[in-house]
Amino acid sequence: MEPLRFSAFCCGLLFVSAVSGATGFSPPYPGFGNTVCSYCPAQESTCSGSGTCNFTCTSSICQSAEDVCVSVWTKDGDNVTMESFCHNPAEPVEGVMLGDHGNSKCEMKERTGTRRPGTQLFICSCSSEECNNYVIFPDSDEYGKPEDPMGVPEPFYPSPNPKFTHMIAGDNGATKIPMVGPGGSIRMLCKFCDVRPTACINNGTCKSECEITSICENLGEVCVSVWQKKGDNVTINTFCHNPAEPVGGVMLGEHGHSKCEMKEMKRSKERRKEKTHNNATQEHEHEHELTYICSCTQEECNDHIIFTHDKEDKIDMDERVMFVTLVSLVPLLGLALLVIVSFYLYRVGLQRKLWESGKLKGRDFSDVHAMLTDDEHSDSSSTHANSLNHNTEPLPIELDGLVGKGRFAEVYKAKLKQGTSATGEPFQTVAIKVFSSDEYLSWKNEKDIFSDADLRHDNVLLFLTAEERKVDKQYWLVTAYHPLGNLQEYLTRQVLSWDDLMSLGSSMAEGVAHLHSERTLCGRPKVPLAHRDLKSSNILVRKDKDLTCCLCDFGLALRLDNTLSVDELANSGQVGTARYMAPEVLESRINLENTESFKQTDVYSMSLVLWEITSRCDAIGEVKEYEPPFGKVREHPCVESMKDSVLRDRGRPEMPSTWCNHPGIALVCGTIEECWDHDPEARLTAQCVAERFSEGFSETDDMDKLFEHVDSQEKIAVEDCSVSDEK
Ligand code: ADE
């Protein structure tokens, strides 16, 4: 880390510790698409300087996309310290340039730094997720060992920064969950900068200009800003603070405000006697200092500070309007509540009747899906009643086995001990995606995406509810469970028939088209969405009448609403899985002016999945073992090696000419080619692919119909689908 930035950060911490007694350490979360590193200030360590050493720090999303993870070990006499942080490798650490820093392991090298002579200094750097919390000293067996390709983690593309979460996840005005619940149950996001000069005057409103947003270290902490004027020196300081403790000797008082309204804390006009040069005593009246403080409990609320000077000002216009509106709305709200309660009781009664009459007994969760989606085609409102389980009691859920593990969470099969399953057991089977408290932001993004009822579709994983499991410090997403697992696992086990290819391809394209669509199935406007991490392991397989699938893992999804600025989109970075990244994503050249670009990158990824499905269909002739697109060279190819294949060589997965012996497959190949075109604008839309599938790709007489939007040159390309690696 740049020494300046780190020391500024530490100073901020020291200040907070000093005023609040807090010993916590809150890392900045300033950018996403960036590496996540372990982040500890220099502290005493038991690491001996040999073998390997594992330690626990806070996870932090690095400030800049270039940053790598660094750990520094020092020994000065008996004093051993360890420090971990993000660092721009173009800058020296301890006066030393890092050199090779692209490793996934943090291998310590002894360095001669700028410390006191006699101090032993070891530095390591690496660039995979939190790789700097496990360091390897040169005498370890692990040192210099070639990396195990299975062990090299997928390049890390963390989920959106808290700063952008609402914008990216689409703050469509729907309910935001408060960061601090009634009992101060969730950690706040606050601006967190050291004391710095400000142009704010103690009048009107003002911005803190602090770029660091931090997740508060402790539950119940609130956001605080302190404005101070000492002579001509005007400063502002932003931080998290436990309201039970004083700030600068003064208690905060009421602190549950949504806005940061400044109150004067101390105005001491100090009379001081000073000796003048001729020894005469003069009495000066010093305007010693002026301090204002505000606290609040909304995400980053201490960024926007408001100076109010008298009681009259305090009820600002917004609040007055709110008050009048609330008063006039009370009768209406009462009525609405009555209707909701009656409707709820009616539904509960109806459901009980259905259970009793046996209509719902003996159903598994896929049937609950059917039940919940019964009204899918009705024009329901877009707020999802079950987005968060607001009951104080957690759902009666018992986790069974682990069925999947992703970058941010683990997925478990589980028993929801309500109702009865198909086999008469007293539970429903569900899937639980479990996020640790460090992955709160990923959980929140996925929950917010899922909370839009307009996302509901047969080919999108059915979301049931989200829960904060306070006792276990976990965040859960409860969804339908699909026993056949993900598409990649399924293709590895099974060869497909032509009908399977048609139903899987069709349902996948329908799912993607639904995400991208600006209308629900019943024609109501909806916010389109880009998935941004489509791949066969993010698609679940379902077998009812046909073999179909549904899309899952919306942790990186982006709501494409018109309110997103180009800057916000640019900040969303290069996300996804390198193997499935479109050429323009690999070279970070997405056209941010047009939200269609994000859909076009999804279509590219979808084409690779279509290729995977086709490669395992017996209609192509001899079916080989399952291989992912671009082969098994590395379990998780990195962006650089994908750039070589996809950009430099313009390579695409091979489609041997023998596949074309089947006329339907030839047409599927043509569609795949049109979806992975190097030019994003030239790609088909997901809707168009879905239509082609619904028309069956069969050797129909009206083949021309399938081609009506393809010019004659493209037709030739489609008929000759032996494209191998060239395009
Ligand atoms: N893996 C990830 N999500 C799953 C789900 N909902 N059902 C089964 N396996 C899964």
Side-chain angles (χ1 to χ4, degrees), residues 326-378:
L326 271 179
V327 166
S328 52
L329 279 181
V330 164
L332 272 180
L333 287 175
L335 197 64
L337 194 69
L338 198 69
V339 170
I340 291 167
V341 170
S342 320
F343 180 70
Y344 174 77
L345 291 176
Y346 164 76
R347 286 291 297 240
V348 169
L350 189 70
Q351 220 143 317
R352 184 169 305 142
K353 265 195 206 144
L354 286 170
W355 280 107
E356 279 161 7
S357 68
K359 278 197 185 152
L360 294 179
K361 279 187 186 156
R363 287 179 166 223
D364 68 5
F365 221 87
S366 52
D367 287 330
V368 175
H369 177 182
M371 187 179 90
L372 289 173
T373 48
D374 266 349
D375 55 355
E376 187 172 317
H377 304 285
S378 68

XYZ file of all heavy atoms in Angstrom, residues 326-378:
423
model
N -47.926 12.252 5.781
C -48.225 11.141 6.684
C -49.570 11.338 7.370
O -50.392 10.421 7.420
C -47.130 11.014 7.743
C -45.958 10.131 7.343
C -44.929 10.093 8.452
C -46.438 8.721 7.013
N -49.775 12.580 7.859
C -51.021 12.841 8.577
C -52.206 12.604 7.654
O -53.188 11.950 8.011
C -51.024 14.281 9.139
C -52.413 14.686 9.593
C -50.034 14.373 10.279
N -52.075 13.094 6.408
C -53.232 12.927 5.533
C -53.363 11.484 5.049
O -54.417 11.071 4.590
C -53.168 13.909 4.363
O -51.912 13.777 3.768
N -52.268 10.725 5.168
C -52.338 9.344 4.670
C -52.798 8.339 5.718
O -53.084 7.193 5.379
C -50.971 8.910 4.145
C -50.634 9.377 2.733
C -49.276 8.850 2.334
C -51.682 8.892 1.724
N -52.864 8.787 6.992
C -53.173 7.828 8.057
C -54.450 7.028 7.768
O -54.432 5.791 7.813
C -53.218 8.520 9.435
C -53.900 7.657 10.482
C -51.797 8.826 9.878
N -55.583 7.699 7.423
C -56.787 6.885 7.177
C -56.585 5.911 6.023
O -56.962 4.747 6.109
C -57.855 7.928 6.815
C -57.271 9.250 7.094
C -55.812 9.135 7.258
N -55.905 6.396 4.969
C -55.677 5.521 3.802
C -54.818 4.323 4.188
O -55.092 3.184 3.797
C -54.956 6.298 2.713
C -55.858 7.051 1.752
C -55.011 7.778 0.715
C -56.809 6.069 1.050
N -53.767 4.599 4.985
C -52.873 3.514 5.402
C -53.626 2.482 6.232
O -53.446 1.273 6.071
C -51.693 4.063 6.212
C -50.644 4.805 5.391
C -49.586 5.423 6.301
C -49.975 3.855 4.407
N -54.503 2.984 7.110
C -55.315 2.086 7.937
C -56.133 1.165 7.059
O -56.184 -0.059 7.266
N -56.741 1.761 6.041
C -57.583 0.987 5.136
C -56.746 -0.063 4.397
O -57.114 -1.237 4.299
C -58.242 1.951 4.132
C -59.435 1.405 3.385
C -60.571 1.106 4.357
C -59.900 2.425 2.335
N -55.560 0.399 3.913
C -54.688 -0.516 3.166
C -54.273 -1.676 4.055
O -54.262 -2.835 3.632
C -53.462 0.235 2.667
N -53.971 -1.366 5.325
C -53.560 -2.403 6.261
C -54.670 -3.433 6.440
O -54.437 -4.647 6.441
C -53.203 -1.743 7.598
C -52.443 -2.620 8.559
C -51.040 -2.883 8.025
C -52.345 -1.957 9.927
N -55.878 -2.916 6.540
C -57.030 -3.795 6.722
C -57.164 -4.739 5.528
O -57.350 -5.955 5.676
C -58.289 -2.918 6.859
C -59.497 -3.594 7.462
C -59.240 -3.884 8.931
C -60.728 -2.687 7.307
N -57.014 -4.162 4.310
C -57.135 -4.985 3.094
C -56.034 -6.041 3.084
O -56.289 -7.216 2.810
C -57.048 -4.075 1.835
C -56.930 -4.907 0.578
C -58.258 -3.164 1.780
N -54.803 -5.626 3.434
C -53.682 -6.575 3.383
C -53.906 -7.704 4.384
O -53.743 -8.880 4.063
C -52.340 -5.855 3.660
C -52.015 -4.935 2.498
C -51.205 -6.847 3.873
C -50.903 -3.954 2.762
N -54.309 -7.332 5.604
C -54.520 -8.356 6.635
C -55.620 -9.316 6.188
O -55.474 -10.546 6.282
C -54.854 -7.706 8.000
C -55.318 -8.746 8.998
C -53.637 -6.973 8.533
N -56.725 -8.759 5.616
C -57.814 -9.637 5.176
C -57.327 -10.568 4.085
O -57.611 -11.761 4.080
C -59.000 -8.838 4.625
O -59.202 -7.722 5.387
N -56.535 -9.999 3.146
C -56.049 -10.816 2.038
C -55.139 -11.925 2.560
O -55.246 -13.076 2.166
C -55.293 -9.924 1.040
C -54.761 -10.679 -0.133
C -55.633 -11.185 -1.100
C -53.397 -10.909 -0.276
C -55.144 -11.898 -2.179
C -52.910 -11.625 -1.349
C -53.783 -12.113 -2.300
N -54.292 -11.556 3.531
C -53.365 -12.525 4.098
C -54.139 -13.664 4.771
O -53.881 -14.839 4.547
C -52.436 -11.815 5.089
C -51.528 -12.757 5.829
C -50.410 -13.300 5.221
C -51.810 -13.125 7.146
C -49.591 -14.173 5.891
C -50.988 -14.009 7.822
C -49.872 -14.524 7.189
O -49.066 -15.395 7.857
N -55.133 -13.247 5.560
C -55.904 -14.271 6.272
C -56.625 -15.170 5.274
O -56.708 -16.380 5.436
C -56.907 -13.606 7.224
C -56.245 -12.893 8.414
C -57.289 -12.167 9.250
C -55.475 -13.895 9.276
N -57.113 -14.527 4.185
C -57.819 -15.293 3.160
C -56.878 -16.324 2.539
O -57.199 -17.496 2.404
C -58.350 -14.318 2.100
C -58.760 -14.989 0.815
C -59.968 -15.699 0.729
C -57.937 -14.918 -0.311
C -60.330 -16.317 -0.455
C -58.293 -15.536 -1.491
C -59.495 -16.235 -1.562
O -59.835 -16.853 -2.716
N -55.603 -15.861 2.212
C -54.640 -16.769 1.588
C -54.272 -17.904 2.536
O -54.168 -19.058 2.147
C -53.352 -16.019 1.192
C -53.505 -15.126 -0.015
C -53.698 -15.912 -1.269
N -52.556 -16.753 -1.616
C -51.870 -16.638 -2.730
N -52.173 -15.713 -3.592
N -50.890 -17.455 -2.993
N -54.056 -17.541 3.817
C -53.687 -18.571 4.789
C -54.807 -19.597 4.896
O -54.580 -20.819 4.859
C -53.372 -17.940 6.170
C -53.248 -18.993 7.245
C -52.098 -17.122 6.077
N -56.038 -19.095 4.952
C -57.203 -19.985 5.062
C -57.297 -20.886 3.849
O -57.485 -22.100 3.948
N -57.091 -20.264 2.670
C -57.183 -21.022 1.414
C -56.124 -22.122 1.380
O -56.395 -23.273 1.037
C -56.968 -20.056 0.242
C -57.228 -20.622 -1.136
C -58.730 -20.857 -1.312
C -56.736 -19.658 -2.210
N -54.923 -21.728 1.789
C -53.836 -22.690 1.768
C -54.124 -23.860 2.709
O -53.896 -25.007 2.377
C -52.544 -22.007 2.198
C -51.391 -22.481 1.383
C -50.442 -21.325 1.133
O -50.896 -20.238 0.841
N -49.166 -21.561 1.266
N -54.641 -23.500 3.891
C -54.945 -24.559 4.860
C -55.976 -25.512 4.272
O -55.854 -26.721 4.345
C -55.430 -23.947 6.176
C -55.652 -25.010 7.226
C -55.871 -24.450 8.608
N -54.797 -23.570 9.019
C -54.988 -22.457 9.714
N -56.200 -22.085 10.032
N -53.973 -21.714 10.072
N -56.992 -24.904 3.597
C -58.035 -25.746 3.002
C -57.425 -26.683 1.977
O -57.757 -27.852 1.897
C -59.080 -24.852 2.322
C -60.251 -24.562 3.225
C -61.395 -24.012 2.407
C -62.267 -23.162 3.294
N -62.815 -22.013 2.607
N -56.499 -26.122 1.158
C -55.876 -26.940 0.119
C -55.076 -28.082 0.733
O -55.119 -29.211 0.269
C -54.966 -26.083 -0.758
C -55.705 -25.162 -1.726
C -54.732 -24.188 -2.376
C -56.423 -25.963 -2.790
N -54.340 -27.748 1.832
C -53.577 -28.812 2.489
C -54.538 -29.887 2.986
O -54.318 -31.073 2.810
C -52.816 -28.269 3.709
C -51.554 -27.580 3.339
C -51.331 -26.253 3.363
C -50.346 -28.176 2.880
N -50.063 -25.979 2.949
C -49.425 -27.148 2.651
C -49.937 -29.496 2.640
C -48.147 -27.367 2.197
C -48.656 -29.713 2.192
C -47.779 -28.655 1.972
N -55.601 -29.384 3.630
C -56.512 -30.346 4.230
C -57.166 -31.207 3.166
O -57.349 -32.403 3.321
C -57.570 -29.615 5.066
C -56.985 -29.261 6.434
C -57.746 -28.170 7.136
O -58.814 -27.768 6.625
O -57.266 -27.709 8.186
N -57.499 -30.550 2.024
C -58.163 -31.334 0.977
C -57.155 -32.214 0.240
O -57.497 -32.926 -0.676
C -58.848 -30.399 -0.010
O -57.838 -29.698 -0.715
N -55.892 -32.116 0.616
C -54.892 -33.020 0.039
C -54.330 -32.530 -1.275
O -53.441 -33.133 -1.849
N -54.831 -31.368 -1.766
C -54.352 -30.910 -3.066
C -52.879 -30.578 -3.063
O -52.203 -30.708 -4.059
C -55.134 -29.671 -3.491
C -56.450 -30.010 -4.105
C -57.002 -28.843 -4.874
C -58.374 -29.187 -5.382
N -59.207 -28.023 -5.538
N -52.372 -30.078 -1.926
C -50.964 -29.699 -1.891
C -50.118 -30.721 -1.167
O -48.917 -30.623 -1.155
C -50.791 -28.343 -1.215
C -51.394 -27.180 -1.956
C -51.168 -25.906 -1.164
C -50.796 -27.036 -3.333
N -50.781 -31.675 -0.543
C -49.991 -32.665 0.193
C -49.182 -33.475 -0.795
O -49.583 -33.687 -1.919
C -50.921 -33.573 0.999
C -51.349 -32.911 2.296
C -52.116 -33.863 3.159
C -52.628 -33.119 4.360
N -53.783 -33.749 4.941
N -48.056 -33.928 -0.334
C -47.276 -34.813 -1.194
C -46.628 -34.075 -2.340
O -46.354 -34.654 -3.373
N -46.411 -32.776 -2.185
C -45.713 -32.064 -3.246
C -44.302 -31.780 -2.813
O -44.032 -31.549 -1.652
C -46.411 -30.730 -3.511
C -47.706 -30.933 -4.213
C -48.378 -29.634 -4.445
N -49.428 -29.857 -5.403
C -49.667 -29.042 -6.384
N -48.967 -27.962 -6.552
N -50.631 -29.301 -7.223
N -43.378 -31.762 -3.781
C -42.038 -31.350 -3.411
C -41.901 -29.873 -3.736
O -42.863 -29.230 -4.126
C -40.983 -32.205 -4.117
C -40.971 -31.949 -5.593
O -41.703 -31.053 -6.064
O -40.230 -32.630 -6.277
N -40.677 -29.339 -3.555
C -40.577 -27.892 -3.669
C -40.751 -27.395 -5.073
O -41.144 -26.252 -5.290
C -39.270 -27.383 -3.063
C -39.528 -26.144 -2.318
C -39.927 -26.199 -0.999
C -39.479 -24.926 -2.957
C -40.225 -25.056 -0.328
C -39.776 -23.783 -2.284
C -40.147 -23.845 -0.961
N -40.494 -28.262 -6.063
C -40.705 -27.786 -7.424
C -42.192 -27.526 -7.616
O -42.598 -26.688 -8.407
C -40.172 -28.779 -8.439
O -40.703 -30.033 -8.157
N -43.014 -28.267 -6.863
C -44.446 -27.996 -6.936
C -44.811 -26.732 -6.184
O -45.719 -26.008 -6.559
C -45.234 -29.184 -6.409
C -45.173 -30.311 -7.402
O -45.065 -30.033 -8.607
O -45.206 -31.465 -6.976
N -44.059 -26.462 -5.117
C -44.288 -25.193 -4.422
C -43.964 -24.074 -5.398
O -44.637 -23.062 -5.465
C -43.426 -25.088 -3.156
C -43.567 -23.729 -2.517
C -43.842 -26.165 -2.185
N -42.942 -24.326 -6.198
C -42.598 -23.375 -7.257
C -43.835 -23.141 -8.114
O -44.275 -22.026 -8.323
C -41.460 -23.968 -8.107
C -41.069 -23.112 -9.277
N -40.108 -23.486 -10.165
C -41.507 -21.912 -9.686
C -39.950 -22.559 -11.066
N -40.797 -21.577 -10.805
N -44.396 -24.241 -8.586
C -45.572 -24.111 -9.452
C -46.654 -23.335 -8.711
O -47.289 -22.437 -9.274
C -46.060 -25.482 -9.842
N -46.766 -23.645 -7.436
C -47.800 -22.983 -6.654
C -47.527 -21.488 -6.572
O -48.393 -20.657 -6.814
C -47.792 -23.587 -5.260
C -48.878 -23.140 -4.372
S -48.660 -23.990 -2.836
C -47.627 -22.876 -1.978
N -46.257 -21.173 -6.265
C -45.925 -19.752 -6.109
C -46.011 -19.019 -7.429
O -46.231 -17.822 -7.462
C -44.520 -19.596 -5.523
C -44.397 -19.982 -4.073
C -42.953 -19.945 -3.656
C -45.227 -19.051 -3.209
N -45.777 -19.724 -8.506
C -45.784 -19.028 -9.789
C -47.149 -19.101 -10.453
O -47.308 -18.642 -11.561
C -44.709 -19.595 -10.737
O -44.830 -21.008 -10.713
C -43.327 -19.170 -10.318
N -48.109 -19.653 -9.765
C -49.458 -19.700 -10.331
C -49.905 -18.359 -10.857
O -50.457 -18.244 -11.931
C -50.461 -20.153 -9.252
C -50.666 -21.644 -9.329
O -50.204 -22.265 -10.314
O -51.277 -22.181 -8.410
N -49.614 -17.328 -10.075
C -50.074 -16.011 -10.477
C -48.982 -15.232 -11.204
O -49.033 -14.043 -11.328
C -50.592 -15.216 -9.272
C -49.558 -15.119 -8.193
O -48.499 -15.745 -8.349
O -49.807 -14.421 -7.230
N -47.976 -16.008 -11.669
C -46.852 -15.362 -12.334
C -47.291 -14.523 -13.527
O -46.730 -13.494 -13.811
C -45.918 -16.458 -12.822
C -44.639 -15.963 -13.373
C -43.738 -17.145 -13.639
O -43.666 -18.046 -12.800
O -43.140 -17.164 -14.692
N -48.301 -15.001 -14.175
C -48.689 -14.295 -15.389
C -49.700 -13.195 -15.123
O -50.085 -12.472 -16.010
C -49.209 -15.285 -16.433
C -48.194 -16.341 -16.721
N -47.086 -16.098 -17.477
C -48.090 -17.617 -16.288
C -46.335 -17.185 -17.536
N -46.933 -18.132 -16.824
N -50.097 -13.092 -13.876
C -51.006 -11.990 -13.579
C -50.170 -10.732 -13.416
O -48.978 -10.783 -13.182
C -51.776 -12.275 -12.294
O -50.880 -12.231 -11.231
